Amino acid sequence: EQGTLEHKMKAAEAEYAGKAEQRRLLDSELAELTDIEARRRAEIQSAEGTLLRIGEREVGALAKEALLEERDAGLRERESRLRTREEAVGKRDSQVRALEAVLLAREKVVQER
């Protein structure tokens, strides 16, 4: 009976030691997984920050592009108005030259008389 009891005690101690080792291995694995998770979270936060900065730059670039398009449209409109004015001035100039020619012709006729 004493031998059986000692045998049972040794078996229980071995089982306890095995479970303690298993527990230590699981704790170690859990710590490793926790570290991996923390690194992944840091990588994700960094990537999110990068995406936000990229998004802000893209929004800024789009806003700048919209402003440039608006300016271009304004410049095209001004250019069109200037061409219209130049055409009107050109017509007036030709009318003035025609009137000057008529006046010169009349003046010649008057001088000849």
Side-chain angles (χ1 to χ4, degrees):
E1 190 175 311
Q2 182 73 22
T4 306
L5 189 57
E6 283 179 24
H7 178 70
K8 285 182 180 178
M9 285 287 285
K10 284 184 182 180
E13 285 174 359
E15 186 179 344
Y16 179 79
K19 287 188 178 188
E21 178 64 17
Q22 193 176 20
R23 169 73 184 217
R24 189 190 63 72
L25 290 172
L26 287 174
D27 285 346
S28 174
E29 190 175 338
L30 178 62
E32 187 179 330
L33 289 173
T34 302
D35 287 346
I36 290 171
E37 181 184 18
R39 283 195 303 268
R40 293 291 185 257
R41 280 188 183 161
E43 289 172 359
I44 289 169
Q45 286 177 343
S46 175
E48 286 173 344
T50 300
L51 287 174
L52 283 174
R53 286 190 298 280
I54 290 170
E56 288 169 357
R57 278 189 236 132
E58 286 178 357
V59 167
L62 289 173
K64 193 178 224 179
E65 188 177 328
L67 284 174
L68 289 174
E69 287 176 6
E70 191 176 312
R71 285 184 194 163
D72 285 350
L75 289 173
R76 283 191 296 275
E77 186 179 322
R78 286 183 195 149
E79 191 177 341
S80 173
R81 285 194 306 247
L82 283 174
R83 266 194 238 108
T84 302
R85 286 180 190 160
E86 286 174 353
E87 290 170 3
V89 167
K91 287 179 184 175
R92 287 187 201 130
D93 281 350
S94 58
Q95 288 173 345
V96 167
R97 278 190 234 107
L99 286 173
E100 285 176 342
V102 169
L103 289 174
L104 282 174
R106 284 186 184 169
E107 197 175 306
K108 270 188 179 180
V109 169
V110 168
Q111 285 178 357
E112 288 174 4
R113 288 186 186 168

